[in-house]
């Protein structure tokens, strides 16, 4: 270091660093004792020094390597610095602080930029480069179960999120792509192979009944058993129940203002809703639809209980729904019968896409804090930062806190 300068008016401290050497090793091939071609002035922002904004200045030497020239490569190579990444305007510790605030503290990037006195576009470029570099090194070997789900991110945009469904992974996001079609599964398979994974080793795939995902898994993951998420089965039953109630409320005034009573779990009922016992035991079509829905919930809950014949119970439920004289549930029974293979796989292996719903909640929370993301790249960066379990820089104050 050559000099330290204070700028009281701008509240800045400047560190001037110089390299006195006239010959240096080549940064690419490590050939020793190569002449310096020229020096380029570069600046980096560092962590604040007390109340001052800290800046590092250096004239970086560029080496003209004769060995690289003989090979036909570019002769002139810039010497890297130990305090910053290549092509970055921030020091390593500054970037570690940004990653800590955006990841651990979950602060919006715009608020971080305002706090640190830089533009949010510069921080997005820095975060994107760090996340891309860490994602390129991600190890996906041993992935044998995945979950696929779509996430609506506003303005008609949809993204597909694929996560590792094995218990030890704790919901690690493996891939994020735009859209929710069969090709999105193909994009995930390409990324899996690029990171050392084997598509043939994937045994189970949890998802909803979206036609695109079903076709994509069948085409790109032929060895994986499709397992339809029980949450979506109950959701379809709730929609069928509500359609029955809406059709009957015109003739039965007692059903007015009871929509959420029928959709709620019994443990969440209020005292007034508990007193509606007579309505649930009546002969109304809505009451019959509610009993069908609750029976389905019980069957799905029993899938984790040993020695319970859930497959036979599900077949019996489908037959009951087909004979219930409720058009909405008759259509639902036909839907279940069409996708019975995926439902049976879910019941047999006790799979669910609950992790995907948790990931969706975290993504939605990030979108709400940031008031939306301008580009898909920014959204993907945040998803990988929060849920990708990547090897990113830790807090610059970790040693001090320890």
């Amino acid at each position: 270091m050559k000099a330290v300068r204070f700028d009281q008016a701008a509240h800045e401290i400047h560190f001037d660093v110089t390299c006195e050497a006239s010959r240096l090793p080549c940064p690419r091939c490590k050939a020793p004792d190569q002449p310096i071609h020229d020096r380029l002035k570069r600046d980096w922002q560092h962590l604040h020094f007390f109340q001052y904004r800290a800046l590092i200045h250096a004239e970086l030497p560029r080496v003209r390597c004769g060995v690289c020239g003989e090979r036909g490569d570019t002769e002139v190579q810039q010497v890297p610095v130990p305090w910053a990444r290549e092509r970055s305007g921030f020091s390593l510790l500054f970037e570690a602080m940004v990653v800590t605030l955006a990841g651990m503290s979950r602060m919006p990037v715009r608020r971080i930029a305002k706090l640190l006195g830089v533009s949010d576009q510069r921080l997005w470029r820095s975060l994107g480069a760090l996340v891309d570099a860490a994602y390129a090194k991600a190890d996906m070997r041993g992935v044998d179960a995945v979950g696929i789900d779509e996430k609506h991110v506003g303005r008609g945009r949809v993204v597909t999120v694929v996560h590792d469904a094995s218990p030890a992974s704790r919901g690690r996001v493996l891939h994020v792509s735009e859209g929710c079609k069969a090709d999105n599964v193909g994009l995930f398979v390409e990324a899996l192979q690029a990171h050392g994974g084997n598509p043939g080793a994937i045994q189970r795939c949890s998802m909803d009944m979206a036609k695109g995902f079903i076709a994509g898994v069948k085409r790109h993951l032929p060895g994986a058993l499709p397992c339809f998420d029980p949450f979506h089965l109950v959701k379809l039953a709730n929609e069928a129940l509500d359609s029955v109630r809406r059709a009957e409320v015109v003739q039965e005034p007692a059903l007015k203002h009871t929509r959420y009573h029928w959709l709620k779990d019994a443990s969440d009922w209020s005292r007034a809703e508990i007193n509606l016992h007579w309505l649930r035991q009546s002969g109304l079509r809505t009451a019959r639809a509610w009993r069908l829905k609750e029976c389905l919930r019980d069957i799905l809950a029993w899938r984790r209980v040993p020695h319970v014949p859930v497959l036979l119970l599900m077949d019996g439920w489908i037959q009951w729904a087909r004979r219930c004289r409720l058009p909405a549930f008759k259509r639902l029974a036909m839907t279940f019968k069409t996708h019975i293979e995926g439902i049976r796989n879910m019941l047999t292996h006790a799979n669910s896409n609950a992790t995907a719903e948790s990931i969706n909640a975290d993504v939605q929370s990030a979108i709400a804090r940031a008031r939306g993301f301008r580009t898909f790249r920014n959204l993907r960066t945040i998803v990988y930062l929060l849920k990708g379990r990547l090897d990113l820089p830790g807090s610059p104050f970790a040693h001090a806190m320890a």
Side-chain angles (χ1 to χ4, degrees):
M1 186 180 299
K2 184 178 180 181
V4 179
R5 298 177 286 109
F6 282 94
D7 187 342
Q8 295 284 353
H11 280 78
E12 293 178 347
I13 181 171
H14 300 266
F15 298 92
D16 296 321
V17 182
T18 59
C19 177
E20 304 289 350
S22 59
R23 302 180 74 87
L24 291 170
C26 175
R28 174 186 290 172
C29 68
K30 309 303 180 184
D33 199 31
Q34 300 299 317
I36 292 179
H37 175 69
D38 60 4
R39 299 174 189 270
L40 297 180
K41 187 176 181 180
R42 292 287 307 277
D43 307 306
W44 299 267
Q45 182 166 343
H46 189 47
L47 291 177
H48 282 35
F49 187 81
F50 291 100
Q51 72 271 30
Y52 295 97
R53 184 167 175 257
L55 299 171
I56 301 175
H57 310 282
E59 292 187 354
L60 291 189
R62 294 199 301 168
V63 173
R64 179 180 292 278
C65 179
V67 178
C68 291
E70 292 176 358
R71 296 174 181 173
D73 298 330
T74 304
E75 297 182 20
V76 179
Q77 297 293 327
Q78 182 172 282
V79 175
V81 295
W83 60 79
R85 286 186 305 107
E86 186 180 2
R87 301 180 183 276
S88 173
F90 304 118
S91 68
L92 295 175
L93 292 178
F94 187 93
E95 290 183 329
M97 170 64 80
V98 174
V99 170
T100 301
L101 293 176
M104 184 185 301
S105 301
R106 304 198 171 194
M107 288 179 60
V109 173
R110 183 175 297 178
R111 189 177 302 173
I112 299 172
K114 186 176 181 180
L115 175 68
L116 300 178
V118 296
S119 69
D120 59 336
Q121 291 296 328
R122 291 186 65 194
L123 290 190
W124 276 120
R125 286 194 294 269
S126 176
L127 277 175
L130 288 170
V131 169
D132 289 346
Y135 183 74
K137 299 177 183 178
D139 185 6
M140 297 184 187
R141 292 175 296 178
V143 175
D144 59 0
V146 298
I148 305 176
D149 198 16
E150 76 277 2
K151 171 63 183 169
H152 295 267
V153 294
R155 298 182 181 179
R157 294 189 300 166
V158 184
V159 298
T160 296
V161 181
V162 183
H163 70 275
D164 189 347
S166 58
S169 69
R170 296 181 297 166
R172 176 175 62 135
V173 171
L174 301 175
H175 191 255
V176 183
S177 57
E178 286 187 283
C180 58
K181 300 181 180 179
D183 293 339
N184 293 89
V185 183
L187 294 175
F188 158 67
V189 170
E190 293 176 2
L192 180 68
Q193 292 173 328
H195 292 84
N198 180 15
I202 297 180
Q203 302 172 5
R204 299 184 305 277
C205 180
S206 299
M207 57 184 176
D208 58 20
M209 294 182 182
K211 294 181 180 179
F213 290 158
I214 295 174
V217 170
K218 186 176 181 180
R219 183 190 312 165
H220 300 287
L221 297 171
L225 295 176
C227 302
F228 296 130
D229 178 30
F231 169 82
H232 288 87
L233 302 188
V234 176
K235 178 182 177 182
L236 292 175
N238 278 329
E239 291 173 355
L241 166 61
D242 196 47
S243 67
V244 173
R245 186 200 62 83
R246 287 199 307 268
E248 193 176 22
V249 71
V250 179
Q251 293 83 21
E252 297 292 339
L255 292 175
K256 289 184 178 180
H257 311 296
T258 63
R259 176 187 178 188
Y260 294 103
H261 165 70
W262 302 104
L263 303 181
K264 275 184 182 180
D265 185 81
S267 60
D268 297 329
W269 283 342
S270 64
R271 184 180 297 274
E273 289 172 331
I274 293 175
N275 293 332
L276 293 176
H277 177 75
W278 67 272
L279 194 59
R280 296 190 296 274
Q281 301 303 319
S282 66
L284 296 177
R285 286 173 293 171
T286 303
R288 195 165 4 125
W290 177 79
R291 288 192 286 272
L292 274 163
K293 188 261 295 187
E294 287 299 305
C295 182
L296 176 63
R297 285 170 58 98
D298 291 340
I299 294 172
L300 296 176
W302 289 336
R303 76 188 190 278
R304 300 186 184 276
V305 180
H307 311 302
V308 176
V310 288
L311 300 182
L312 293 176
L313 293 175
M314 178 57 71
D315 291 340
W317 187 92
I318 292 175
Q319 293 301 321
W320 179 20
R322 293 180 66 180
R323 301 193 307 268
C324 69
R325 301 191 305 277
L326 299 174
F329 275 88
K330 292 174 70 174
R331 290 192 297 269
L332 181 61
M334 293 305 299
T335 300
F336 284 6
K337 192 169 183 63
T338 302
H339 300 91
I340 191 62
E341 180 185 357
I343 296 175
R344 285 176 173 271
N345 293 335
M346 177 267 296
L347 294 172
T348 302
H349 299 284
N351 268 47
S352 77
N353 228 11
T355 304
E357 302 304 325
S358 173
I359 293 171
N360 282 350
D362 286 343
V363 173
Q364 184 59 43
S365 178
I367 292 173
R369 288 193 301 268
R371 303 295 190 270
F373 295 98
R374 287 191 289 266
T375 65
F376 167 72
R377 174 177 170 78
N378 292 351
L379 173 63
R380 182 184 61 186
T381 297
I382 291 298
V383 173
Y384 285 148
L385 180 67
L386 296 178
K387 307 299 292 186
R389 304 196 181 280
L390 303 176
D391 186 13
L392 290 163
S395 170
F397 307 115
H399 296 293
M401 290 187 293

